[in-house]
Amino acid sequence: MTAMILAQANPPAMPVTTLFWLGVVTLGVIALLGGIFITKYFNLWIQAFLTQANVSIVDLVGMSFRKVNPNIIVRSKIMAYQAGLTEKDGLTTRALESHYLAGGNVPNVVRALIAANRADIPLSYKQATAIDLAGRNVLEAVQTSVNPKVIPCPDPSQGRSTIDGVARNGIQLKVKAKVTVRTNLDRLVGGATDETIIARVGEGIVNAIGSAETHLQVLGKPDSISKRVLEKGLDAGTAYEILSIDIADIDVGDNIGANLQALQAEADTRVARAKAEERRAFAVAKEQEMQAAVQENRAKVVEAEAEVPLAIAEAFRQGHLGVGDYYNLRNVQADTEMRSAIAGTGSNVRQPVVSTP
């Protein structure tokens, strides 16, 4: 019984061959992990160490856990340190990681900071990252600050080739302009862009042309448009600073004043015709009324004539009219009708017929 207990307490030793293979497998796994580690991190750490970019192995491993691409962070930091920028300028590993996780373009921000530093343009890391996260190309903004760009006005892509304005004498002028601008980094976040500049310059050109007495003044001094537009401070609230406005081309268009006068004259003619037709219709209606009144009066005359024989007959009965008087009356009527027939001026009004009572 004792022998059995001692045998269980001291199990048989593992064969040497098994231990050997376990050691080989362990070393292989360690070598594999070491190779992966060296392949993924050691090369980046050596680069950062040799350039004094101050990125540790722990930082590299932590980036993988935080879903940050270590290649972008290390190479961006090396690029910044090689250009003379340090952590004092805000380019710390944590800051670069934070901007990467926020969805920013870390290499573009670093390049913008380097370009601004070389051009002596004041641009902080915080300002650069804010511009980048706002959706603007911060590198392009810095380059535009160094090398101003030219904006065509109007924009041909919008379907218009000229800005049309009308002088006070009614002549239309078609203008093409070029606006030279420089990026204002302080106003880039929240500042208006190209569309606003084009709209404001176009409005200023139209206003300047409309203020001219004649189109010849504008053709003689095109720079007067530029001066008048620049005086209005059109770059306020935009991301740019307007350096100059150059008139590239001016063409004479239609005589808008004459066209408007012709249209007005045609409209006046139509109004006059309408009023004349109204007066004619009123006159026709009046004529019809007068003809009706004439017919009414003729009816009254006929009615009065019909009473004359009755009155004569009544006079005979009363003894107020004799036979001699009656024949004298007929003779006078006959004489009057004869004279009228000879003269050719007979009246249309029928003479009353006096019959014998």
Side-chain angles (χ1 to χ4, degrees), residues 220-259:
K221 293 182 178 180
D223 58 332
S224 61
I225 299 178
S226 303
K227 293 179 180 178
R228 185 183 293 270
V229 174
L230 284 174
E231 290 174 354
K232 295 185 176 182
L234 302 180
D235 53 5
T238 66
Y240 299 111
E241 177 185 353
I242 298 178
L243 300 179
S244 66
I245 300 175
D246 303 311
I247 305 301
D249 187 21
I250 300 181
D251 294 328
V252 179
D254 299 331
N255 191 336
I256 302 298
N259 294 338

Side-chain angles (χ1 to χ4, degrees), residues 27-51:
L27 290 175
V29 172
I30 294 173
L32 180 61
L33 295 175
I36 295 174
F37 179 81
I38 292 173
T39 302
K40 188 171 183 179
Y41 300 114
F42 187 73
N43 186 29
L44 292 174
W45 178 78
I46 286 294
Q47 293 180 20
F49 177 77
L50 295 178
T51 56

Side-chain angles (χ1 to χ4, degrees), residues 4-308:
M4 292 178 62
I5 295 174
L6 292 174
Q8 292 178 358
N10 298 311
M14 186 177 293
V16 177
T17 304
T18 303
L19 293 174
F20 173 77
W21 286 112
L22 286 175
V24 171
V25 172
T26 302
L27 290 175
V29 172
I30 294 173
L32 180 61
L33 295 175
I36 295 174
F37 179 81
I38 292 173
T39 302
K40 188 171 183 179
Y41 300 114
F42 187 73
N43 186 29
L44 292 174
W45 178 78
I46 286 294
Q47 293 180 20
F49 177 77
L50 295 178
T51 56
Q52 299 179 354
N54 192 20
V55 180
S56 64
I57 291 292
V58 177
D59 291 334
L60 294 174
V61 175
M63 290 180 194
S64 297
F65 286 106
R66 289 188 290 271
K67 304 298 182 181
V68 177
N69 191 338
N71 292 320
I72 294 177
I73 302 301
V74 172
R75 290 174 182 173
S76 298
K77 196 169 184 181
I78 290 173
M79 181 170 53
Y81 272 62
Q82 291 294 320
L85 299 176
T86 63
E87 293 185 353
K88 294 181 180 180
D89 299 312
L91 292 168
T92 63
T93 304
R94 289 291 184 183
L96 294 176
E97 286 186 51
S98 175
H99 187 61
Y100 179 88
L101 292 172
N105 191 336
V106 175
N108 206 44
V109 170
V110 173
R111 293 190 187 97
L113 290 170
I114 293 172
N117 183 50
R118 297 292 173 83
D120 291 332
I121 297 175
L123 179 65
S124 65
Y125 176 76
K126 182 179 179 181
Q127 187 179 10
T129 54
I131 294 172
D132 185 62
L133 292 177
R136 305 289 179 84
N137 191 328
V138 62
L139 179 59
E140 181 182 352
V142 173
Q143 291 173 346
T144 306
S145 297
V146 177
N147 184 20
K149 73 174 182 178
V150 177
I151 301 176
C153 186
D155 188 359
S157 63
Q158 299 298 324
R160 295 189 60 186
S161 58
T162 59
I163 299 173
D164 301 338
V166 181
R168 291 185 177 180
N169 63 345
I171 303 299
Q172 181 187 49
L173 295 178
K174 301 177 179 292
V175 180
K176 293 181 180 179
K178 293 183 178 180
V179 185
T180 304
V181 297
R182 179 173 58 196
T183 302
N184 190 330
L185 297 176
D186 294 333
R187 298 201 303 253
L188 189 57
V189 177
T193 54
D194 299 18
E195 291 79 6
T196 302
I197 293 291
I198 294 173
R200 290 182 179 180
V201 171
E203 179 185 358
I205 290 175
V206 172
N207 189 13
I209 294 175
S211 300
E213 291 295 334
T214 65
H215 68 288
L216 298 177
Q217 294 179 354
V218 179
L219 294 175
K221 293 182 178 180
D223 58 332
S224 61
I225 299 178
S226 303
K227 293 179 180 178
R228 185 183 293 270
V229 174
L230 284 174
E231 290 174 354
K232 295 185 176 182
L234 302 180
D235 53 5
T238 66
Y240 299 111
E241 177 185 353
I242 298 178
L243 300 179
S244 66
I245 300 175
D246 303 311
I247 305 301
D249 187 21
I250 300 181
D251 294 328
V252 179
D254 299 331
N255 191 336
I256 302 298
N259 294 338
L260 292 176
Q261 290 178 359
L263 293 175
Q264 184 63 43
E266 183 178 356
D268 293 342
T269 301
R270 292 178 180 177
V271 172
R273 288 176 180 175
K275 290 182 178 180
E277 182 65 21
E278 180 182 1
R279 290 192 296 270
R280 188 192 67 80
F282 179 77
V284 170
K286 189 68 175 177
E287 180 183 3
Q288 295 296 327
E289 292 178 359
M290 295 301 294
Q291 290 178 358
V294 169
Q295 294 297 330
E296 182 180 359
N297 292 331
R298 284 181 179 175
K300 292 180 179 180
V301 169
V302 171
E303 182 181 3
E305 289 177 353
E307 294 179 357
V308 171

